[in-house]
């Protein structure tokens, strides 16, 4: 009996200690470690989705862009292709991006159906806004962990979820933002809110996650909103028909596919 | 009264067609149907008069199909144009073709437009479709090219593209009459008896292209056995006639495109065998060149660069054409040089697009400018204004300004 009590007490202590240790570890994470978890969370080998981009101006007038997106991580290179399906004047346009793990820069192409031509475009202009939206190419792309210095600056609840607040200061001096601040969900490792500051240190834009859900076991943001505070307009981004790990082949990211469309 | 009735008839017809096709687009699940109705007002600012006032209706019908495991797509793009000032009607298919998609190759048959090469607005290897020199003003660049009836086969070795285009019946460029008339001496008359190329197998055209895109470099290699799109003016001194004639050309060429930082560089080149040129003095060595025409090979090369600066796209191109084994008696210069310069900028979250395109012919010292302002009032209404201006030198095309309203539905 005494032996059992001893064992139970020991087990309880272990559980408490373990629990305490996990909590302590979580509390002890620094900014870089938090962002590392965000960058390294499971996102699948490939993904396809329909994207609705609604551009809303200060008078609440809306313009909608619909596109189908496919992307796949091939290890040293991640390839992405987008097909615009609406509105009519940009229908048939496609955009392809190859992003390399190493120092090689991105390669980008656009297919313009009116010209029946694929054009290589510079991937350096990441501060350009994507199709008139409030998202820059860089906002939509995969920023690398080592491109910023990350600092944990606090904790806060967003919609009832415990979040870390991490300040990210770009190492590159001429980067379009002086800093960004990300609210990272403590248990899902996704950013639920992000603030973008201009080069004068003033708040430029706020990205807010409105809805997310688990699809094929992967936490997926399906509704977000980017609000440009300085210009008082916003872009709503909605994902639909999201599928992971469908085995998208390399043939999808070719000249043939850009011209052929979906 | 008669004119008014005709206009009413056209407007009624257009509206009826609009409603029918709109209804069709709703009912059709698999097909994609889009329509556009454009009114364009062109004003001749040189002569101070109204120039053209066309009403253009365009339909784009696309339907994908899968029958007995054969995948494909039908694409039909008719265009109906009514000139309000001339009461003239024009109906044509811009394109009308069927695609068949197989696992390793694609096949397309029908009237189609293709674009080859990396250059913008200057032709080096983009020679599949003939030019239409009567288009004025140039509102859309692709309108300067005409669709051709062709059979196209694409193979995809290692995800690259090997394209064969066979054009069974040669289609000449549509020439501007003013340019042609200027080339005919006063005491000569035109004889079109040898202009036509008979639609026979041996007169067909073949174009081959291999293209690849990659991390560092995109490139194309091409070869063709075709006709010259613009006829050479042969002279018959006995009958005092000018006889336009086409000649066979063999062309090999290629183009490249690469990126370095914010710059995109491109290059294009071609060697053309069998081109024909007029002589300055047609009676020069008349025994050797009895028709005042000489055959020579030609090289063409182009370099260009795109640069993005603070949201402005700046694009510069230089092209040179060289007549090999040149003779001083040839009417055309040994070296023909031209440059283009484009500045493009979007405003208001891409609702407002502005650009100005300069084209400079260094030999003739002719400078053309094409400014354009495009405003997307909504996803269905587009407003556009622009001009085709001759800033220096002389051309046969009037300086014009245009205003255009396009309704998409």
């Amino acid at each position: 009996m005494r032996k059992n009590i001893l064992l139970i007490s020991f087990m309880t202590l272990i559980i408490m200690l373990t629990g305490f240790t996990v909590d302590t570890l979580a509390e002890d994470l620094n900014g870089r470690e938090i962002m590392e978890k965000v960058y390294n969370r499971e996102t699948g080998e490939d993904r396809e989705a329909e994207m609705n981009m609604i551009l809303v101006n200060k008078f609440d007038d809306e313009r909608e862009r619909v596109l189908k997106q496919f992307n796949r991580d091939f290890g040293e290179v991640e390839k992405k292709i987008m097909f615009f399906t609406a509105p009519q004047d940009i229908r048939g346009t496609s955009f392809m991006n190859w992003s390399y793990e190493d120092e090689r820069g991105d390669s980008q192409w656009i297919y313009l159906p009116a010209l029946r031509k694929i054009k290589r475009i510079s991937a350096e202009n990441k501060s350009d806004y994507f199709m008139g939206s409030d998202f820059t190419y860089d906002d939509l792309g995969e920023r690398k962990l080592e491109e910023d210095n990350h600092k944990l600056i606090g904790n806060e609840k967003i919609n009832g979820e415990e979040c870390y607040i991490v300040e990210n200061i770009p190492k590159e001096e001429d980067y379009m933002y002086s800093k960004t601040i990300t609210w990272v969900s403590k248990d899902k490792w996704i950013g639920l809110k992000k603030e973008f500051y201009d080069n004068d240190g003033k708040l430029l834009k706020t990205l807010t996650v409105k809805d997310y859900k688990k699809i094929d076991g992967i936490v997926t943001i399906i509704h977000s909103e980017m609000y440009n505070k300085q210009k008082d307009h916003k872009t709503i981004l909605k994902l639909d028909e999201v599928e992971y790990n469908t085995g998208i082949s390399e043939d999808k990211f070719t000249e043939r596919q850009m011209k052929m469309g979906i | 009264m008669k004119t008014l009735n005709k206009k009413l008839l056209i407007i009624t017809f257009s509206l009826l067609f609009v409603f029918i096709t709109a209804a069709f687009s709703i009912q059709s699940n698999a097909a994609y149907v889009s329509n556009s109705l454009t009114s364009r007002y062109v004003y001749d600012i040189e002569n101070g008069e109204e120039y053209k006032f066309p009403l253009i209706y365009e339909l784009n019908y696309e339907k994908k199909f899968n029958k007995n495991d054969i995948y494909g797509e039908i694409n039909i793009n008719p265009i109906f144009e009514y000139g309000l000032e001339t009461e003239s009607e024009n109906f044509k298919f811009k394109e009308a073709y069927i695609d068949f998609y197989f696992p390793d190759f694609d096949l397309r048959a029908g009237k189609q437009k293709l674009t080859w090469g990396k250059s913008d607005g200057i032709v080096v290897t983009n020679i599949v479709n003939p030019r239409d020199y009567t288009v004025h003003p140039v509102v859309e660049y692709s309108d300067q090219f005409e669709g051709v009836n062709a059979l196209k086969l694409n193979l995809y070795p290692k995800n690259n593209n090997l394209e064969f285009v066979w054009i069974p019946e040669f289609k000449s460029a549509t020439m501007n009459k003013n340019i042609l008339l200027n080339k005919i001496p006063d005491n000569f008359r035109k004889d079109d008896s040898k202009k036509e190329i008979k639609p026979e197998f041996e007169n067909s055209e073949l174009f081959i292209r291999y293209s690849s895109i990659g991390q560092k470099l995109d490139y194309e290699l091409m070869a063709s056995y075709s006709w010259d799109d613009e006829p050479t003016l042969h002279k018959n001194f006995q009958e005092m006639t000018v006889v336009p004639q086409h000649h066979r050309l063999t062309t090999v060429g290629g183009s490249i495109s690469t990126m370095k930082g914010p710059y995109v560089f491109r290059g294009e080149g071609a060697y053309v065998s069998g081109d024909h040129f007029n002589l300055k003095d047609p009676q020069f060595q008349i025994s050797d060149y009895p028709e005042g025409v000489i055959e020579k090979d030609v090289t063409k090369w182009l370099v260009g660069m795109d640069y993005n600066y603070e949201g402005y796209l700046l694009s510069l191109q230089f092209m040179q054409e060289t007549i090999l084994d040149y003779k001083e008696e040839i009417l055309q210069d040994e070296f023909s040089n031209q440059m283009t310069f484009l500045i493009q900028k979007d405003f208001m979250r891409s609702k407002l697009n502005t650009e100005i395109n300069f084209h400079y012919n260094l030999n003739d010292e002719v400078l053309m400018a094409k400014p354009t302002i495009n405003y997307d009032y909504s996803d269905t209404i587009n407003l556009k204004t622009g001009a085709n201006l001759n800033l220096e030198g002389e051309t046969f095309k009037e300086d014009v300004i245009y205003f255009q309203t396009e309704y998409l539905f």
Side-chain angles (χ1 to χ4, degrees), chain B residues 61 122 125 152 181 198 237 274 292 298 333 374 384:
Chain B
Y61 175 85
I122 298 183
T125 63
K152 179 168 78 79
L181 288 172
K198 285 183 183 170
F237 292 99
V298 169
D333 291 343
N374 191 76
K384 194 173 198 172

Side-chain angles (χ1 to χ4, degrees), chain B residues 91-272:
Chain B
F91 177 83
K92 66 175 179 181
F93 285 96
K94 260 189 180 177
E95 290 184 291
Y97 58 79
I98 184 164
D99 276 319
F100 296 98
Y101 303 133
F102 298 94
D104 300 318
F105 68 96
D106 299 332
L107 196 62
R108 173 183 292 180
K111 191 174 184 183
Q112 51 195 290
K113 283 188 185 182
L114 304 167
T115 304
W116 285 14
K118 305 291 180 194
S119 59
D120 289 330
I122 298 183
V123 171
V124 181
T125 63
N126 186 26
I127 56 171
V128 178
N129 293 91
R131 299 281 291 267
D132 183 350
Y133 291 100
T134 61
V135 174
H136 186 61
V138 177
V139 179
E140 302 293 341
Y141 174 71
S142 61
D143 289 346
Q144 294 178 97
F145 293 88
E146 293 186 271
V148 281
N149 294 316
L151 196 63
K152 179 168 78 79
L153 171 70
N154 289 82
L155 306 172
Y156 302 100
K158 292 182 180 173
N159 279 335
N160 296 320
N161 178 23
L162 179 60
E163 187 166 283
F164 297 87
V165 181
W166 179 60
I167 300 177
E169 188 178 343
F170 168 68
K171 185 174 166 57
S172 168
T174 307
M175 302 301 292
N176 182 313
K177 280 180 186 167
N178 289 333
I179 297 173
L180 265 181
L181 288 172
N182 185 60
K183 287 181 178 175
I184 299 173
D186 290 340
N187 45 349
F188 281 71
R189 65 184 171 80
K190 196 160 153 254
D191 172 9
D192 281 334
S193 62
K194 292 185 179 172
K195 197 181 166 194
E196 293 305 314
I197 303 294
K198 285 183 183 170
E200 294 168 351
F201 179 75
E202 60 263 35
N203 287 336
S204 62
E205 296 180 294
L206 183 66
F207 301 83
I208 304 169
R209 175 177 72 140
Y210 182 78
S211 63
S212 171
I213 59 172
Q215 187 260 326
K216 285 184 180 169
L217 187 76
D218 303 343
Y219 67 88
E220 290 185 11
L221 300 168
M222 62 78 67
S224 69
Y225 183 59
S226 61
W227 293 94
D228 51 358
D229 284 341
E230 297 164 37
T232 312
L233 301 179
H234 291 244
K235 292 183 180 69
N236 183 328
F237 292 99
Q238 278 79 44
E239 295 180 15
M240 298 300 279
T241 53
V242 168
V243 189
Q245 279 183 57
H246 292 281
H247 299 277
R248 275 294 193 185
L249 300 179
T250 305
T251 307
V252 288
S255 58
I256 55 165
S257 175
T258 189
M259 188 196 84
K260 185 77 181 165
Y263 300 96
V264 175
F265 298 99
R266 58 177 170 266
E268 200 164 333
Y271 180 90
V272 185

